[in-house]
């Protein structure tokens, strides 16, 4: 099973990393840029969809 990763809702506009993680990988070419409101909204929707898909994959058995 492959793991799906969704960008942090308030992560970098370009790479999706959280601000703290981004600064640990900082370079002169790419500084951290805040995401747009639309990006935050889309990332939150993607995380919600991924959570609901994961929950539907759970197998429950009755005793």
């Amino acid at each position: 099973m492959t793991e799906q990763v969704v960008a942090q809702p308030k992560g970098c506009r370009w790479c999706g990393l959280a601000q703290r993680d981004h600064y640990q990988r900082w370079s002169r070419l790419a500084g951290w840029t805040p995401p747009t409101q639309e990006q935050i909204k889309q990332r939150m929707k993607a995380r919600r969809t991924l959570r609901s898909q994961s929950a539907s994959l759970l197998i429950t058995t009755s005793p």
Side-chain angles (χ1 to χ4, degrees):
M1 179 181 222
T2 61
E3 181 180 347
Q4 294 178 329
V5 179
V6 178
Q8 295 289 318
K10 292 192 177 182
C12 178
R13 179 179 190 164
W14 308 112
C15 67
L17 287 174
Q19 191 171 12
R20 182 179 179 134
D21 295 336
H22 198 277
Y23 283 130
Q24 292 174 351
R25 298 178 184 141
W26 185 83
S27 75
R28 289 183 184 197
L29 300 175
W32 187 85
T33 306
T36 64
Q37 288 299 313
E38 185 62 26
Q39 281 180 311
I40 294 171
K41 182 179 177 181
Q42 292 302 319
R43 291 171 180 180
M44 291 175 75
K45 284 183 178 181
R47 289 168 64 101
R48 190 176 308 126
T49 300
L50 186 60
R51 270 198 309 262
S52 67
Q53 288 174 352
S54 295
S56 67
L57 294 175
L58 294 177
I59 300 172
T60 57
T61 58
S62 56

